[in-house]
Amino acid sequence: MIRGARPDSPYLALLPLERIVLIGGLLLIVVLSGIISFGSETGSHPLLYGSFLAYVGVLALPLFRAFLRAPGLFHPLFFYATWTGLRSLLTGDAVLGATGLEFHLALPGMGRTELELIAAKSFLLEALALVALYVGYFLSREIQVPRLRQPAPPKRLVGAVVLWMVLPTVAVAILSMEAGSLGELLLQRGIGSDQRIAAEIGRHWNYLAGVGTIVPVVWLAFDRGAAKYPLFWVVALLSAFLVFAATGSRSSAIWPFILVALTWALRHRRIPYRALWVAAGIAIVLIGLLGEFRAATRGVDTLEDVELQGDIWVSAKAGYDEMVARNTTNSGQMAVLGSVPDRVDHLLGESYLSIPFVVIPSRLWPGDTPDAAGKMNSTYIYGNPRSGVPTGPVGEAYWNFSYPGVVLVFVVFGGVLRFVASIYRSNSEHPMIIPIYLYTIVTLAPGSNEIYNSIHAFVPVVGFYLLIRTVDRVRLGKISVPRAAGLVGRQ
């Protein structure tokens, strides 16, 4: 465990040893990638490796005090660069920088050298985007944000939890009835997405099935000791099961626990490293088990026909290989960079038109709503209109407005992060601001798909918070709902 006196900071100040470990980890990745790149016949093109070095260098800037005066693990600028960067490095970028790229699913006619030049362009654009993000953050002015009045500890929080969990439970029940049974719903993973129940009755039921995943996060924001209660973990596991049953998404089932760990760290102002190692091991096993279950459902008629072979590690490796492919041979961003503007024209803002429709179910809108970047990528570049391939925010900005688009979009996003930091710094103990802030720094990015995901998280967070406050004010059959103006006040 990393120990030391952690300075007081709402962002959870970075310890010297943590800084050394992070810098050392980046150096290790760079050195190992360089050894593979220059020391083997299958190494990457020198220009690709050089672009990879430039990207990692820009990525590491927030780790240094000369760049960020008071870095913290949850500082929005630090978190975005470190979280996004390390995650991408460990799930494909380091492999790409070291070994290059021999083929790409969306660019079948291109040779290795041409593909590696596209990969180099991708790294340089990522570095440019980070520089623009830093510039936008530091050029933005500090904003004086009023402090929200701290609510009293809720007396009926468990009752609100039970009421809220009715929503995802009913959603899964409706999907199960349409499928024939819960077992048949679980078998939906083995058929095409356009043939699943949600495609017939509306994907909003899938969304409702996932609204329970925010409950443990908001619960911890209200009660920092909530993780000691068995009911807390029952709700967390139930919400994860419900969203997996409805969507079959392993990440949707794992992410709630990651958010719980981050919320706990923020509330207790320390990182439980031992618990995180245990949780990481459990997550790997779950990824393997859920991946094996998903694979086993393909081509079977009943749940009884599903046979699990017990190859958890093989399934986990297959899941990891799939993540690596998303950054290499099936990278939506590189598909865009290799196709625009030669084969496909710039969108000129078209993909961003989908953002205002994020809160409107497609069933309630007459006609088709505009497509987000992922759907457009799959349709126009991959030639598969029934699916979606994320472009990433950098790929989407380039597809819309070329190089100036990348700079402009990320400068603006830097200003957004500065504003978010101002809100959190003034309200770092408020139980509604804590989860909204965490979902912002974890999920928000300047892309249509990423904005979709963030707003879809914000809505249930606010809804559950208001439910907690409302349930706590029920008196003899009457409800006293706090006025909006009463929520804000100087402390």
Side-chain angles (χ1 to χ4, degrees), residues 179-238:
S181 67
L182 179 59
E184 294 296 323
L185 178 63
L186 292 169
L187 293 179
Q188 292 278 299
R189 310 288 72 77
I191 62 178
S193 59
D194 59 322
Q195 300 175 334
R196 295 174 186 172
I197 295 300
E200 298 177 7
I201 67 173
R203 300 187 186 278
H204 53 276
W205 294 110
N206 277 353
Y207 172 69
L208 286 177
V211 299
T213 58
I214 59 94
V215 170
V217 177
V218 179
W219 193 345
L220 263 179
F222 269 101
D223 181 5
R224 66 197 301 266
K228 297 183 294 186
Y229 309 140
L231 180 61
F232 175 87
W233 294 107
V234 170
V235 171
L237 290 169
L238 174 62

Side-chain angles (χ1 to χ4, degrees), residues 236-295:
L237 290 169
L238 174 62
S239 64
F241 169 75
L242 290 174
V243 72
F244 179 77
T247 66
S249 169
R250 288 171 291 177
S251 60
S252 296
I254 298 297
W255 269 109
F257 297 99
I258 296 176
L259 267 298
V260 165
L262 294 177
T263 308
W264 191 96
L266 203 56
R267 295 289 279 128
H268 290 262
R269 295 291 190 265
R270 65 186 181 90
I271 305 294
Y273 285 102
R274 291 177 183 172
L276 287 179
W277 282 112
V278 174
I282 294 174
I284 291 173
V285 172
L286 283 177
I287 290 173
L289 280 174
L290 297 178
E292 186 178 353
F293 175 81
R294 247 184 15 171

Side-chain angles (χ1 to χ4, degrees), residues 90-378:
L90 296 176
T91 57
D93 278 356
V95 174
L96 181 62
T99 63
L101 193 63
E102 293 186 359
F103 74 96
H104 190 283
L105 294 177
L107 308 169
M110 293 189 179
R112 179 183 175 101
T113 299
E114 194 173 3
L115 288 172
E116 292 192 343
L117 292 178
I118 292 173
K121 180 179 178 180
S122 177
F123 279 129
L124 291 176
L125 280 177
E126 289 284 356
L128 176 64
L130 283 173
V131 170
L133 177 74
Y134 301 155
V135 170
Y137 184 90
F138 289 118
L139 286 182
S140 301
R141 297 177 57 186
E142 286 285 345
I143 300 174
Q144 294 298 321
V145 177
R147 300 183 68 184
L148 299 180
R149 184 177 300 154
Q150 194 73 11
K155 299 177 182 179
R156 301 175 182 178
L157 197 151
V158 172
V161 168
V162 173
L163 285 175
W164 186 264
M165 289 303 296
V166 170
L167 287 174
T169 304
V170 168
V172 172
I174 290 174
L175 288 168
S176 298
M177 286 189 293
E178 291 292 332
S181 67
L182 179 59
E184 294 296 323
L185 178 63
L186 292 169
L187 293 179
Q188 292 278 299
R189 310 288 72 77
I191 62 178
S193 59
D194 59 322
Q195 300 175 334
R196 295 174 186 172
I197 295 300
E200 298 177 7
I201 67 173
R203 300 187 186 278
H204 53 276
W205 294 110
N206 277 353
Y207 172 69
L208 286 177
V211 299
T213 58
I214 59 94
V215 170
V217 177
V218 179
W219 193 345
L220 263 179
F222 269 101
D223 181 5
R224 66 197 301 266
K228 297 183 294 186
Y229 309 140
L231 180 61
F232 175 87
W233 294 107
V234 170
V235 171
L237 290 169
L238 174 62
S239 64
F241 169 75
L242 290 174
V243 72
F244 179 77
T247 66
S249 169
R250 288 171 291 177
S251 60
S252 296
I254 298 297
W255 269 109
F257 297 99
I258 296 176
L259 267 298
V260 165
L262 294 177
T263 308
W264 191 96
L266 203 56
R267 295 289 279 128
H268 290 262
R269 295 291 190 265
R270 65 186 181 90
I271 305 294
Y273 285 102
R274 291 177 183 172
L276 287 179
W277 282 112
V278 174
I282 294 174
I284 291 173
V285 172
L286 283 177
I287 290 173
L289 280 174
L290 297 178
E292 186 178 353
F293 175 81
R294 247 184 15 171
T297 60
R298 297 189 178 99
V300 300
D301 297 323
T302 66
L303 199 59
E304 288 76 14
D305 296 330
V306 175
E307 296 183 2
L308 299 179
Q309 303 300 321
D311 295 329
I312 295 175
W313 300 112
V314 173
S315 298
K317 182 180 181 302
Y320 178 75
D321 291 341
E322 182 180 340
M323 287 190 290
V324 171
R326 291 174 185 171
N327 281 337
T328 55
T329 58
N330 195 29
S331 165
Q333 179 167 305
M334 277 192 281
V336 168
L337 298 181
S339 303
V340 178
D342 295 333
R343 288 198 301 120
V344 180
D345 293 333
H346 288 289
L347 295 176
L348 302 178
E350 185 179 348
S351 69
Y352 297 120
L353 295 178
S354 64
I355 295 174
F357 294 87
V358 63
V359 294
I360 303 175
S362 57
R363 291 290 175 122
L364 301 181
W365 184 262
D368 296 329
T369 58
D371 290 330
K375 181 66 180 296
M376 298 181 78
N377 190 19
S378 183

Side-chain angles (χ1 to χ4, degrees), residues 24-76:
L26 290 177
L27 286 174
L28 181 62
I29 290 173
V30 165
V31 170
L32 291 179
S33 299
I35 292 174
I36 296 173
S37 177
F38 293 101
S40 66
E41 295 181 357
T42 58
S44 62
H45 192 284
L47 182 58
L48 172 56
Y49 182 72
S51 302
F52 172 71
L53 282 181
Y55 168 62
V56 175
V58 174
L59 195 68
L61 287 177
L63 286 167
F64 299 95
R65 282 190 178 276
F67 181 82
L68 196 60
R69 184 171 53 185
L73 293 170
F74 290 94
H75 187 287

Side-chain angles (χ1 to χ4, degrees), residues 442-462:
V442 170
T443 65
L444 185 61
S448 53
N449 290 101
E450 291 78 11
I451 293 174
Y452 260 62
N453 294 336
S454 296
I455 295 178
H456 282 163
F458 297 160
V459 171
V461 165
V462 174

